[in-house]
Amino acid sequence: MAQTRIDDAAGAAQARPAGIPDSELAGPFPVGEYAAALRTRLRAFARVQLIGELVNLRPARARVYFELRDSAGAIPCAAWRDDWQAMLVRASREGTQASDALEGMQVVVAGGCDYYPGSATSSPGFSFTVSDMRVAGEGDLLARIDRLRKQLDAEGLLERQKRLPRALLPRAIGVVTASTGKARDDVLAALGRRGWAGRLVWGFAPVQDRHAAPAITRALSDLAAVGDVETVIVARGGGSLADLLCFCDETLCRTVALLGVPVIASVGHHTDRTLLDDVAAVSCSTPTHAAEAAVGVDCGQARARQAAAAGRLREHGRRAVLTRARALALLSRAPGAHLERQQVRLHQLLRETRAGARRRLDDERALSARRAIVLERKAASVQRDCNERHVRELERLALALAAHDPQRTLERGYALIESSRGESLPTAARAREVEELRLRFADDTLPARMLEP
Amino acid sequence: LSELEGQTYEAASARVEEIIKRLDSGEASLNETLELVREGKTLIELCARELAAVSDALEELRLDELVARLERESAG
């Protein structure tokens, strides 16, 4: 039937522009008609089961796309979303939990060939439309990579790059990446942020098709050999495992492991680690991180640090001499200063002694004054007592004297016999011895004469 | 001091840090201090040269062109 439609299309071409002169081939046919005929022919192919590794899984709005690969070839596959969901349910019953987990698995798919003829605005495409699927086990591809990783590890090739010294501030950096793409811009931007403006050698190479691994290997070998490159970055944005398979190439990985220049890999993400990530000196998740790893210092900050260090060194040098010179000057002045200090101390002591003496004198004076006042008061008190006592004594004596006064006796009626010369005649015998007597009374004295007995 | 010239940037900057740490400790004698200051200045000049070498202008080269040029030169 398909042959009939192509023949019809050939018939319709009679009215259309002429074909290539001298060509023996039929046509020209309108491409849309030819595409439709091709789809019809492909759909007529027998529906079969295929076995291979499921890679590069890309869910879209209506369909899910992936590739089925083995070592000899690959075929693009597609499944309607509803069919895919049913297949996932079955896979989960068999132990595969999620759609992403199918990546790299060995699967059996059932379906048939199909061709989307495209249109004026959409691209055509061939696919094997999958209507059923069964997970057959771990993919041979992943198992092969794992075996290779173990082998490289056993040979010590995973560690060789990591032991290489890495320049903190390389003058020349090599970058292996695609000539177009975001990875190149990211590396440039990150180096710019570091303030690094040295020599950058671009080793452009395809990074995801079957030519990639040999081209990358060659670029790495050349970069290590020329341009005084001190560090090499292999950069690529993320991608499915199938896109990254070139970075698991054995020759590439062995070449990297044996390079004398450290290689910084940033070809995928942590979820899809490649063998290159394992053999490289450093493995980064993004090209930006790789560039930052390649230049270990921020050049602007480093300049500021060096300027500060230079300043501190100058200061240390100046201070080392100055401090010691000052110490020496201090030592040379020490005897004079000591004498001066002693003089000052003596003066101080003298002043203190004088002040102490003055204070003592003042204190003593004050004490003496207080004592004088007390003594004065005591003397006055004693004088007063003494005077009073004397007065009383005198009064007593006066009284006693008065008591003995002859006048008082005379006043009581007695009379005193005296000689004419005033001598007292206490006895009759004495009175007889004198001729003239006087009788003294209290109020007057009268002359008397002794009569002859 | 001539042997200092061959040092890498990272070794030189690390040694400068060590020198400053030693000087900051105040335990270095006068002779040692002057010697360390002299060594430090030489290393800082080396670091400054390394920084200057990657500070002027980014020089972008293509590996294929570089290889071709080298091959021409070796053939000539």
Side-chain angles (χ1 to χ4, degrees):
Chain A
M1 190 177 74
Q3 185 61 51
T4 309
R5 291 192 63 175
I6 290 172
D7 292 344
D8 291 346
Q14 297 297 324
R16 295 187 178 95
I20 300 166
D22 303 329
S23 173
E24 294 176 357
L25 301 179
F29 307 116
V31 67
E33 288 178 20
Y34 189 84
L38 179 61
R39 177 171 67 179
T40 305
R41 178 71 68 87
L42 285 171
R43 281 181 173 176
F45 274 32
R47 292 172 60 79
V48 293
Q49 293 183 49
L50 301 176
I51 185 163
E53 284 171 37
L54 188 157
V55 293
N56 203 5
L57 187 66
R58 305 179 306 281
R61 195 156 48 103
R63 308 186 85 186
V64 174
Y65 298 94
F66 57 91
E67 290 167 24
L68 210 59
R69 281 176 183 257
D70 62 17
S71 56
I75 193 163
C77 299
W80 294 104
R81 294 286 305 220
D82 290 345
D83 292 342
W84 182 252
Q85 289 302 327
M87 289 179 232
L88 283 184
V89 169
R90 180 190 289 182
S92 95
R93 279 202 299 269
E94 291 170 357
T96 306
Q97 296 300 317
S99 177
D100 288 348
L102 288 170
E103 182 84 34
M105 298 294 276
Q106 187 87 356
V107 296
V108 175
V109 297
C113 293
D114 201 355
Y115 182 76
Y116 173 62
S119 68
T121 56
S122 59
S123 301
F126 168 82
S127 67
F128 185 88
T129 300
V130 174
S131 56
D132 205 353
M133 179 181 69
R134 186 181 72 78
V135 177
E138 187 182 307
D140 185 49
L141 205 57
L142 286 181
R144 209 168 55 241
I145 291 172
D146 196 44
R147 277 199 301 276
L148 183 54
R149 179 180 284 115
K150 285 175 182 164
Q151 190 182 340
L152 293 174
D153 191 17
E155 292 176 29
L157 296 179
L158 301 188
E159 295 303 318
R160 286 181 68 98
Q161 274 272 318
K162 293 170 185 65
R163 286 199 292 268
L164 289 176
R166 269 198 306 129
L168 198 63
L169 188 67
R171 287 191 176 198
I173 297 174
V175 184
V176 177
T177 189
S179 58
T180 57
K182 198 168 172 297
R184 181 186 178 185
D185 297 337
D186 288 349
V187 168
L188 273 174
L191 291 176
R193 279 195 298 278
R194 282 286 200 212
W196 187 89
R199 177 188 285 183
L200 198 57
V201 184
W202 294 104
F204 294 125
V207 288
Q208 64 179 16
D209 59 22
R210 65 193 176 87
H211 303 295
I216 294 167
T217 306
R218 191 168 53 251
L220 281 167
S221 303
D222 288 349
L223 278 173
V226 301
D228 301 325
V229 167
E230 293 172 70
T231 304
V232 178
I233 298 171
V234 181
R236 184 190 183 281
S240 71
L241 185 63
D243 287 341
L244 299 174
L245 284 178
C246 59
F247 297 106
C248 297
D249 181 79
E250 182 172 358
T251 307
L252 167 63
C253 292
R254 285 183 179 279
T255 303
V256 168
L258 297 172
L259 279 183
V261 177
V263 173
I264 299 172
S266 81
V267 294
H269 301 287
H270 292 305
T271 49
D272 46 18
R273 192 173 177 81
T274 67
L275 274 185
L276 180 64
D277 289 308
D278 292 327
V279 296
V282 183
S283 166
C284 298
S285 55
T286 64
T288 299
H289 289 152
E292 288 169 356
V295 180
V297 291
D298 183 301
C299 296
Q301 289 176 3
R303 273 190 288 275
R305 270 201 306 276
Q306 298 300 342
R312 290 179 73 179
L313 279 179
R314 270 198 305 275
E315 179 59 20
H316 272 297
R318 193 183 67 82
R319 213 165 49 200
V321 177
L322 204 62
T323 308
R324 286 166 175 85
R326 279 180 183 155
L328 283 175
L330 212 62
L331 285 174
S332 71
R333 286 199 300 270
H338 182 71
L339 201 61
E340 197 176 336
R341 273 201 306 278
Q342 290 302 322
Q343 279 176 345
V344 169
R345 188 164 166 268
L346 279 174
H347 285 149
Q348 178 68 19
L349 282 173
L350 193 61
R351 277 198 299 276
E352 284 175 3
T353 307
R354 282 175 179 164
R358 260 199 311 277
R359 272 199 307 277
R360 184 76 188 269
L361 205 58
D362 290 345
D363 290 349
E364 288 296 326
R365 274 183 185 146
L367 188 62
S368 298
R370 280 200 302 278
R371 282 174 178 166
I373 290 167
V374 170
L375 282 174
E376 201 173 321
R377 283 176 185 163
K378 280 187 176 175
S381 171
V382 168
Q383 185 68 39
R384 207 164 39 248
D385 292 349
C386 196
N387 288 348
E388 286 171 1
R389 198 167 63 247
H390 287 168
V391 168
R392 281 196 303 275
E393 188 66 19
L394 282 173
E395 283 173 352
R396 190 180 62 77
L397 289 174
L399 284 173
L401 199 59
H404 294 284
D405 189 359
Q407 187 65 27
R408 301 267 313 260
T409 308
L410 296 177
E411 283 171 357
R412 285 202 304 269
Y414 295 92
L416 189 62
I417 302 168
E418 299 177 340
S419 67
S420 57
R421 293 189 303 266
E423 294 171 350
S424 179
L425 301 173
T427 61
R430 292 278 310 269
R432 277 180 199 114
E433 289 174 1
V434 294
E435 189 178 346
E436 298 290 331
L437 295 176
R438 278 192 319 183
L439 295 178
R440 200 171 77 181
F441 296 93
D443 54 348
D444 201 4
T445 303
L446 296 175
R449 187 173 298 266
M450 184 64 79
L451 298 172
E452 289 295 327
Chain B
L1 295 174
S2 59
E3 70 270 19
L4 298 177
E5 294 295 326
Q7 289 206 13
T8 60
Y9 174 86
E10 50 271 30
S13 56
R15 176 64 184 147
V16 168
E17 295 288 331
E18 267 180 36
I19 287 172
I20 287 179
K21 201 172 168 185
R22 172 69 180 158
L23 291 175
D24 283 345
S25 74
E27 293 169 358
S29 66
L30 178 61
N31 278 343
E32 188 187 356
T33 299
L34 295 177
E35 194 57 41
L36 288 174
V37 168
R38 200 173 301 125
E39 184 187 351
K41 279 180 180 172
T42 306
L43 292 172
I44 283 174
E45 282 166 12
L46 187 147
C47 289
R49 277 203 302 278
E50 290 296 312
L51 279 167
V54 297
S55 299
D56 292 340
L58 188 68
E59 181 190 4
E60 291 188 76
L61 301 172
R62 286 187 60 130
L63 178 63
D64 46 1
E65 292 171 358
L66 197 61
V67 170
R69 196 177 73 201
L70 288 171
E71 283 173 351
R72 273 199 308 275
E73 285 171 5
S74 64

